[in-house]
Amino acid sequence: LVTLLAVGHPRPVPPLRERHGAVLSPLVDEILRRTPLYDRHVAAGARLVPFAGWEMPVQYAGVIPEHLAVRIDAGVFDVSHMGQLHVEGPTAAALLQSTLSNDLERLGDGEAQYSLLTNERGGIVDDLIVYRLAPAHYLVVVNAGNRAAAFAWLKERELRGSEVRDASDEYGLLAVQGPAAITRLGLPAAPVFTHAMGEVDGIEVMVCRTGYTGEQGVELLCPAEEAPALWDAVLARGIVPCGLGARDTLRLEVCYPLHGNDISTETDAI
């Protein structure tokens, strides 16, 4: 679908239908979830498609203009469908160090790290970013399609003195990416793979210097109920709404892997 959209030949997507209040995909008989920004996407005329169990915007004005907006100026993506797992307790670091491929001991408070959650054969359960909030508290952001698998893998391996909690439904997550992203948001410069609390137009957010486009930018984490107001504030600053189609072409351009396509439980970190 993304490839077809990128060359200007979109494949028609049958409309979603409702049954007893649940949203069903016509492509597969599955109930789709919606992010806190669903109403904003509908109002903006986004094309909505099934993705990893969610009803998500694949494009607004089009994949090409959205791709270029991120490369030239700034664009914003709703990535609230991604999973947020809290890992806490005196043995939280030991638990993550034993299950992730990167060296967690290199992280200090306020820092983040790309890593792989691997199984007993070295296969990749998910690729993720882990944020150190405090010496005994980590936030692990996982892919939407692997949220349940990543949570189960870590939960089953909890050590005495550690707790893994799925807090995904508590948050909204906006990725604001592009060379002008930080300036347009009025945020201070910060090194990549760091995070700190901040504000955007009075809305408190966790500002993460991370992303999936290869551009400068941030990912803004906020309470789910405040996500619509944050989205409105970001758009009011002249930042272009972008869908998953452009997110995919942008990551392809910089050779970032996609779990389930480029990497999986059948591939390893090497």
Side-chain angles (χ1 to χ4, degrees), residues 111-129:
E111 296 181 332
Q113 184 182 81
Y114 175 78
S115 195
L116 304 175
L117 178 64
T118 57
N119 60 27
E120 68 279 358
R121 302 182 309 278
I124 302 169
V125 178
D126 196 24
D127 63 327
L128 51 84
I129 296 181

Side-chain angles (χ1 to χ4, degrees), residues 97-183:
Q97 187 76 320
S98 68
T99 53
L100 299 179
S101 64
N102 212 333
D103 184 5
L104 203 70
E105 292 183 359
R106 298 170 59 187
L107 286 185
D109 293 354
E111 296 181 332
Q113 184 182 81
Y114 175 78
S115 195
L116 304 175
L117 178 64
T118 57
N119 60 27
E120 68 279 358
R121 302 182 309 278
I124 302 169
V125 178
D126 196 24
D127 63 327
L128 51 84
I129 296 181
V130 55
Y131 302 84
R132 178 165 148 165
L133 307 181
H137 189 183
Y138 296 84
L139 175 67
V140 180
V141 177
V142 301
N143 286 298
N146 295 330
R147 170 182 162 184
F151 173 69
W153 189 263
L154 289 171
K155 190 69 176 177
E156 291 168 3
R157 286 157 182 80
E158 280 181 340
L159 303 176
R160 183 176 181 182
S162 68
E163 180 183 10
V164 181
R165 181 172 64 90
D166 186 351
S168 307
D169 295 337
E170 299 174 16
Y171 298 114
L173 184 61
L174 278 60
V176 186
Q177 303 283 295
I182 295 173
T183 301

Side-chain angles (χ1 to χ4, degrees), residues 20-111:
H20 305 301
V23 180
L24 298 178
S25 163
L27 304 180
V28 290
D29 191 18
E30 88 179 297
I31 297 176
L32 299 177
R33 303 185 66 185
R34 292 170 172 172
T35 78
L37 297 173
Y38 170 79
D39 290 340
R40 296 298 196 272
H41 302 321
V42 172
R47 176 178 296 178
L48 298 165
V49 300
F51 178 79
W54 294 78
E55 188 178 2
M56 296 295 294
V58 70
Q59 67 176 51
Y60 296 84
V63 172
I64 293 174
E66 291 164 23
H67 180 114
L68 293 175
V70 173
R71 287 287 181 249
I72 296 169
D73 195 315
V76 58
F77 304 83
D78 176 14
V79 290
S80 304
H81 59 311
M82 297 187 71
Q84 290 86 35
L85 312 178
H86 283 277
V87 183
E88 301 179 68
T91 61
L95 168 62
L96 292 175
Q97 187 76 320
S98 68
T99 53
L100 299 179
S101 64
N102 212 333
D103 184 5
L104 203 70
E105 292 183 359
R106 298 170 59 187
L107 286 185
D109 293 354
E111 296 181 332

Side-chain angles (χ1 to χ4, degrees), residues 198-217:
E199 284 190 1
V200 175
D201 293 338
I203 302 168
E204 187 176 37
V205 293
M206 179 176 164
V207 182
C208 307
R209 281 287 283 111
T210 49
Y212 193 49
T213 65
E215 287 291 346
Q216 296 292 308

